[in-house]
Amino acid sequence: MHKRRLLLASLVGALIVALIGVIVVLGGSSRHSAIVPAPSAGVGPLVAFYGDSYTLGTGASDDARRWSTQISRDRGWQEFNPSVNGLGFINNRDRFGAGDLPDLIITAKPDIVFVTMGLNDNFSYDFAAQDIKAQISDDLSRLSAALPDARFVVVEPFWYTDERPRSVEVIISWVQSAATAIGADYIAGASRWIEGHPEWMAADGLHPNDDGYLEMARRMDLELEALGL
């Protein structure tokens, strides 16, 4: 009887582990999948944003207050923003190719593409530096090849603290080089746009608040005016 109970307990335990494994696998496959938004209203060009939480607008009181929506609204652009919290070129990325964010953007066939990625890759830099470098080039090359008529605006990766690990400047240099390789417009300096202003940060201390996004929109607007956009 005792052996039967042990055997039964082992089988139940194995079943639980197996079920947990299935849940983890399913969760991993959908964890970072974007809910594909419909483009916003507008009569201007369709503009896609490939970004993370700083482009998704995490920390803002409403999507209307994120920088991407502010600049799109002011220009009459149709905004397509499938950005994902925590996403990097490598960091928290569960797929490469079909179904990833570049694929969603390619499918949308935008007239203008913003790339605002790289912040989160600093958290993977110590063990995935070369993968990050390669993926930056792969993503931008793939987008450019699939959308030959689109205009690309690559933004220096944002940053969120006054302290800057060495990886920040390294990843910035990789993004800039990849932008140059595809002939994209490049906006420098964005990693310092909200530096030194804790009052522009949301309660989580990680993301901008409405005032922070307003400042980002103001700075982005100046850069885009200089580019004729």
Side-chain angles (χ1 to χ4, degrees):
M1 182 65 70
H2 181 64
K3 290 182 179 179
R4 288 180 181 177
R5 288 178 179 173
L6 287 175
L7 178 59
L8 179 60
S10 294
L11 291 173
V12 171
L15 179 60
I16 291 172
V17 169
L19 288 173
I20 290 173
V22 170
I23 292 169
V24 168
V25 169
L26 292 176
S29 65
S30 61
R31 179 182 47 176
H32 303 295
S33 298
I35 297 173
V36 183
S40 64
V43 295
L46 178 62
V47 182
F49 294 83
Y50 177 26
D52 52 37
S53 59
Y54 271 54
T55 300
L56 181 64
T58 302
S61 62
D62 187 88
D63 283 352
R65 294 181 178 272
R66 63 190 178 185
W67 69 265
S68 62
T69 301
Q70 292 183 60
I71 65 167
S72 296
R73 182 178 59 242
D74 292 347
R75 288 165 171 77
W77 289 347
Q78 301 174 69
E79 177 190 7
F80 176 63
N81 189 346
S83 300
V84 173
N85 282 318
L87 188 67
F89 289 103
I90 287 292
N91 195 68
N92 280 340
R93 187 155 172 188
D94 63 355
R95 63 189 65 188
F96 299 86
D100 65 1
L101 253 65
D103 187 46
L104 296 179
I105 289 170
I106 290 167
T107 301
K109 295 180 171 61
D111 302 292
I112 302 171
V113 178
F114 278 76
V115 178
T116 59
M117 295 278 285
L119 185 159
N120 292 298
D121 290 299
N122 288 278
F123 309 121
S124 300
Y125 181 84
D126 287 346
F127 57 86
Q130 292 309 306
D131 290 336
I132 294 166
K133 182 180 182 181
Q135 196 59 45
I136 292 169
S137 179
D138 287 352
D139 279 0
L140 268 61
S141 297
R142 175 176 153 215
L143 284 163
S144 178
L147 299 168
D149 297 324
R151 182 169 181 176
F152 284 83
V153 180
V154 178
V155 181
E156 177 180 294
F158 299 126
W159 188 244
Y160 70 106
T161 64
D162 294 348
E163 295 182 4
R164 298 164 69 90
R166 188 181 70 86
S167 60
V168 172
E169 299 302 332
V170 176
I171 292 173
I172 285 172
S173 71
W174 292 342
V175 170
Q176 185 171 14
S177 294
T180 299
I182 66 167
D185 295 307
Y186 182 76
I187 294 178
S191 66
R192 297 189 182 275
W193 282 357
I194 56 174
E195 184 178 67
H197 288 275
E199 73 277 13
W200 290 345
M201 299 300 287
D204 65 5
L206 302 174
H207 299 94
N209 58 20
D210 289 347
D211 290 338
Y213 283 117
L214 181 62
E215 175 63 13
M216 292 174 72
R218 185 187 73 82
R219 297 293 296 269
M220 189 68 73
D221 187 62
L222 292 173
E223 296 289 343
L224 295 179
E225 285 182 1
L227 292 173
L229 285 171

